[in-house]
Amino acid sequence: MTSIATGFADRGRATYDLGATAIFASKSDPRFHYCLYVPPAVGEGAKVDLLVAVHGTGRTSFLGFRDAFAEFGRWNECAILCPLFPIGVLGDDARSGYKYMIEGDIRYDQVLLAIIEEVSAKYRQDWTRFAMFGFSGGGHFTHRFAILHPDRLWAASIGAPGSVTLLDPARDWWVGIRDLPEKFGITFDAAALAKVPVQMIVGDADLETWEITHVQGSTHWMPGANDAGQTRPERLRTLCRSFEQAGARVRFDLLPGVAHERDAVLDPVKDFLAQALKERRNASR
């Protein structure tokens, strides 16, 4: 007979750890949080894939993406992990540090990898490789993570980043990648990136520049900061060419009549991820 204590533990797990989960602090660095959607079958031992969905500057899509991808996750046997990188973790109200992967002594790629290691152990899953989607600020994070860690990804969907890092060996981070070994201890691996299906997606009416134009003297300004183009579509096209020149397979989606609207991109993103997931599973058979 199941004990009362065991019954309570099972009820708690079903309530907080499966389906749309509670919000957790990272054990490796409690300044950072995360939530998930975990298909209920995981509670019965099912093995699933993982999609990481990264919020934008406002952070409100942290929960929005978890819920928006829940149905996709349930029917495609894929957990959804949504990390939260709060504004001002260094006490300075800075909004954009996570977008550039490094802020003070924080390495946001390592923060995320530690969270993934934690949830992989918790749910007894092999999430060595995962997919990533991000929009706006999350699009910043996603394409830079793909540059740093292509070997960890089975797909990357890059939505409307305001600024882009080109695979330019003649310019330093974040405009280029010349100093990756010094800054991150990483050498860019073009062969690994070429194996990752990549989607770049933006609306053709996403044309406001007030938030994405770097002004000399601002926090992230550096020479070449605005060279990829004036608007988000122009900058993403430039990033697409840079990735393709490095051998990456890129699906470029320019959505007619769409401005900077994250919900408007989700259906084509899900289509892309479903196809990448199908190819991944077929290849493993």
Side-chain angles (χ1 to χ4, degrees), residues 18-33:
L18 298 173
T21 75
I23 298 169
F24 300 94
S26 168
K27 287 182 170 61
S28 65
D29 190 335
R31 292 176 296 179
F32 303 104
H33 308 133

PDB file of all heavy atoms in Angstrom, residues 18-33:
ATOM      1  N   LEU A  18       5.589  18.714 -13.134  1.00  0.00           N
ATOM      2  CA  LEU A  18       5.128  18.209 -14.418  1.00  0.00           C
ATOM      3  C   LEU A  18       4.100  19.163 -15.016  1.00  0.00           C
ATOM      4  O   LEU A  18       3.509  19.971 -14.300  1.00  0.00           O
ATOM      5  CB  LEU A  18       4.526  16.810 -14.266  1.00  0.00           C
ATOM      6  CG  LEU A  18       5.463  15.719 -13.761  1.00  0.00           C
ATOM      7  CD1 LEU A  18       4.694  14.435 -13.500  1.00  0.00           C
ATOM      8  CD2 LEU A  18       6.605  15.474 -14.752  1.00  0.00           C
ATOM      9  N   GLY A  19       3.905  19.058 -16.339  1.00  0.00           N
ATOM     10  CA  GLY A  19       3.047  20.036 -17.004  1.00  0.00           C
ATOM     11  C   GLY A  19       3.700  21.403 -16.925  1.00  0.00           C
ATOM     12  O   GLY A  19       4.919  21.546 -17.069  1.00  0.00           O
ATOM     13  N   ALA A  20       2.887  22.443 -16.702  1.00  0.00           N
ATOM     14  CA  ALA A  20       3.420  23.795 -16.512  1.00  0.00           C
ATOM     15  C   ALA A  20       3.946  23.892 -15.088  1.00  0.00           C
ATOM     16  O   ALA A  20       3.180  23.884 -14.118  1.00  0.00           O
ATOM     17  CB  ALA A  20       2.328  24.832 -16.753  1.00  0.00           C
ATOM     18  N   THR A  21       5.261  23.958 -14.948  1.00  0.00           N
ATOM     19  CA  THR A  21       5.875  23.830 -13.629  1.00  0.00           C
ATOM     20  C   THR A  21       5.851  25.143 -12.846  1.00  0.00           C
ATOM     21  O   THR A  21       5.520  26.209 -13.363  1.00  0.00           O
ATOM     22  CB  THR A  21       7.347  23.379 -13.734  1.00  0.00           C
ATOM     23  OG1 THR A  21       8.148  24.488 -14.182  1.00  0.00           O
ATOM     24  CG2 THR A  21       7.494  22.189 -14.665  1.00  0.00           C
ATOM     25  N   ALA A  22       6.280  25.013 -11.599  1.00  0.00           N
ATOM     26  CA  ALA A  22       6.562  26.194 -10.782  1.00  0.00           C
ATOM     27  C   ALA A  22       7.820  26.892 -11.315  1.00  0.00           C
ATOM     28  O   ALA A  22       8.477  26.412 -12.243  1.00  0.00           O
ATOM     29  CB  ALA A  22       6.766  25.767  -9.331  1.00  0.00           C
ATOM     30  N   ILE A  23       8.160  28.008 -10.721  1.00  0.00           N
ATOM     31  CA  ILE A  23       9.375  28.747 -11.059  1.00  0.00           C
ATOM     32  C   ILE A  23      10.453  28.375 -10.045  1.00  0.00           C
ATOM     33  O   ILE A  23      10.228  28.433  -8.837  1.00  0.00           O
ATOM     34  CB  ILE A  23       9.121  30.264 -11.051  1.00  0.00           C
ATOM     35  CG1 ILE A  23       8.083  30.630 -12.113  1.00  0.00           C
ATOM     36  CG2 ILE A  23      10.426  31.037 -11.292  1.00  0.00           C
ATOM     37  CD1 ILE A  23       7.577  32.054 -12.012  1.00  0.00           C
ATOM     38  N   PHE A  24      11.629  28.000 -10.544  1.00  0.00           N
ATOM     39  CA  PHE A  24      12.712  27.522  -9.694  1.00  0.00           C
ATOM     40  C   PHE A  24      13.922  28.446  -9.788  1.00  0.00           C
ATOM     41  O   PHE A  24      14.184  29.041 -10.836  1.00  0.00           O
ATOM     42  CB  PHE A  24      13.142  26.111 -10.117  1.00  0.00           C
ATOM     43  CG  PHE A  24      12.046  25.088 -10.022  1.00  0.00           C
ATOM     44  CD1 PHE A  24      11.268  24.793 -11.125  1.00  0.00           C
ATOM     45  CD2 PHE A  24      11.796  24.430  -8.833  1.00  0.00           C
ATOM     46  CE1 PHE A  24      10.257  23.852 -11.048  1.00  0.00           C
ATOM     47  CE2 PHE A  24      10.787  23.482  -8.739  1.00  0.00           C
ATOM     48  CZ  PHE A  24      10.010  23.191  -9.853  1.00  0.00           C
ATOM     49  N   ALA A  25      14.676  28.544  -8.699  1.00  0.00           N
ATOM     50  CA  ALA A  25      15.978  29.205  -8.717  1.00  0.00           C
ATOM     51  C   ALA A  25      17.034  28.184  -9.128  1.00  0.00           C
ATOM     52  O   ALA A  25      16.977  27.014  -8.740  1.00  0.00           O
ATOM     53  CB  ALA A  25      16.321  29.766  -7.345  1.00  0.00           C
ATOM     54  N   SER A  26      17.980  28.632  -9.926  1.00  0.00           N
ATOM     55  CA  SER A  26      19.085  27.759 -10.320  1.00  0.00           C
ATOM     56  C   SER A  26      19.925  27.414  -9.097  1.00  0.00           C
ATOM     57  O   SER A  26      20.301  28.293  -8.312  1.00  0.00           O
ATOM     58  CB  SER A  26      19.955  28.465 -11.357  1.00  0.00           C
ATOM     59  OG  SER A  26      21.162  27.773 -11.560  1.00  0.00           O
ATOM     60  N   LYS A  27      20.226  26.132  -8.920  1.00  0.00           N
ATOM     61  CA  LYS A  27      21.048  25.725  -7.783  1.00  0.00           C
ATOM     62  C   LYS A  27      22.474  26.251  -7.897  1.00  0.00           C
ATOM     63  O   LYS A  27      23.135  26.518  -6.891  1.00  0.00           O
ATOM     64  CB  LYS A  27      21.053  24.201  -7.669  1.00  0.00           C
ATOM     65  CG  LYS A  27      19.742  23.607  -7.162  1.00  0.00           C
ATOM     66  CD  LYS A  27      19.841  22.098  -7.031  1.00  0.00           C
ATOM     67  CE  LYS A  27      18.628  21.503  -6.303  1.00  0.00           C
ATOM     68  NZ  LYS A  27      17.370  21.762  -7.010  1.00  0.00           N
ATOM     69  N   SER A  28      22.966  26.410  -9.122  1.00  0.00           N
ATOM     70  CA  SER A  28      24.343  26.869  -9.296  1.00  0.00           C
ATOM     71  C   SER A  28      24.479  28.376  -9.106  1.00  0.00           C
ATOM     72  O   SER A  28      25.546  28.849  -8.719  1.00  0.00           O
ATOM     73  CB  SER A  28      24.869  26.474 -10.677  1.00  0.00           C
ATOM     74  OG  SER A  28      24.140  27.135 -11.686  1.00  0.00           O
ATOM     75  N   ASP A  29      23.424  29.121  -9.352  1.00  0.00           N
ATOM     76  CA  ASP A  29      23.434  30.574  -9.162  1.00  0.00           C
ATOM     77  C   ASP A  29      21.991  31.029  -8.968  1.00  0.00           C
ATOM     78  O   ASP A  29      21.272  31.259  -9.950  1.00  0.00           O
ATOM     79  CB  ASP A  29      24.066  31.286 -10.353  1.00  0.00           C
ATOM     80  CG  ASP A  29      24.313  32.769 -10.072  1.00  0.00           C
ATOM     81  OD1 ASP A  29      23.616  33.338  -9.213  1.00  0.00           O
ATOM     82  OD2 ASP A  29      25.210  33.350 -10.721  1.00  0.00           O
ATOM     83  N   PRO A  30      21.530  31.152  -7.713  1.00  0.00           N
ATOM     84  CA  PRO A  30      20.114  31.453  -7.448  1.00  0.00           C
ATOM     85  C   PRO A  30      19.646  32.826  -7.908  1.00  0.00           C
ATOM     86  O   PRO A  30      18.456  33.133  -7.776  1.00  0.00           O
ATOM     87  CB  PRO A  30      20.016  31.321  -5.919  1.00  0.00           C
ATOM     88  CG  PRO A  30      21.159  30.445  -5.526  1.00  0.00           C
ATOM     89  CD  PRO A  30      22.258  30.804  -6.494  1.00  0.00           C
ATOM     90  N   ARG A  31      20.540  33.654  -8.459  1.00  0.00           N
ATOM     91  CA  ARG A  31      20.080  34.911  -9.065  1.00  0.00           C
ATOM     92  C   ARG A  31      19.252  34.658 -10.317  1.00  0.00           C
ATOM     93  O   ARG A  31      18.489  35.532 -10.757  1.00  0.00           O
ATOM     94  CB  ARG A  31      21.283  35.788  -9.443  1.00  0.00           C
ATOM     95  CG  ARG A  31      22.069  36.337  -8.275  1.00  0.00           C
ATOM     96  CD  ARG A  31      23.298  37.100  -8.743  1.00  0.00           C
ATOM     97  NE  ARG A  31      24.260  36.242  -9.441  1.00  0.00           N
ATOM     98  CZ  ARG A  31      25.407  36.685  -9.956  1.00  0.00           C
ATOM     99  NH1 ARG A  31      25.724  37.977  -9.859  1.00  0.00           N
ATOM    100  NH2 ARG A  31      26.245  35.851 -10.552  1.00  0.00           N
ATOM    101  N   PHE A  32      19.397  33.474 -10.883  1.00  0.00           N
ATOM    102  CA  PHE A  32      18.741  33.150 -12.144  1.00  0.00           C
ATOM    103  C   PHE A  32      17.701  32.054 -11.928  1.00  0.00           C
ATOM    104  O   PHE A  32      17.898  31.142 -11.111  1.00  0.00           O
ATOM    105  CB  PHE A  32      19.785  32.734 -13.179  1.00  0.00           C
ATOM    106  CG  PHE A  32      20.826  33.791 -13.381  1.00  0.00           C
ATOM    107  CD1 PHE A  32      22.095  33.649 -12.828  1.00  0.00           C
ATOM    108  CD2 PHE A  32      20.518  34.961 -14.051  1.00  0.00           C
ATOM    109  CE1 PHE A  32      23.043  34.648 -12.974  1.00  0.00           C
ATOM    110  CE2 PHE A  32      21.470  35.964 -14.201  1.00  0.00           C
ATOM    111  CZ  PHE A  32      22.728  35.814 -13.663  1.00  0.00           C
ATOM    112  N   HIS A  33      16.595  32.180 -12.652  1.00  0.00           N
ATOM    113  CA  HIS A  33      15.455  31.305 -12.425  1.00  0.00           C
ATOM    114  C   HIS A  33      15.036  30.626 -13.724  1.00  0.00           C
ATOM    115  O   HIS A  33      15.521  30.964 -14.805  1.00  0.00           O
ATOM    116  CB  HIS A  33      14.289  32.129 -11.855  1.00  0.00           C
ATOM    117  CG  HIS A  33      14.667  32.946 -10.671  1.00  0.00           C
ATOM    118  ND1 HIS A  33      14.320  34.281 -10.528  1.00  0.00           N
ATOM    119  CD2 HIS A  33      15.405  32.630  -9.564  1.00  0.00           C
ATOM    120  CE1 HIS A  33      14.792  34.743  -9.384  1.00  0.00           C
ATOM    121  NE2 HIS A  33      15.461  33.758  -8.788  1.00  0.00           N
TER     122      HIS A  33
END
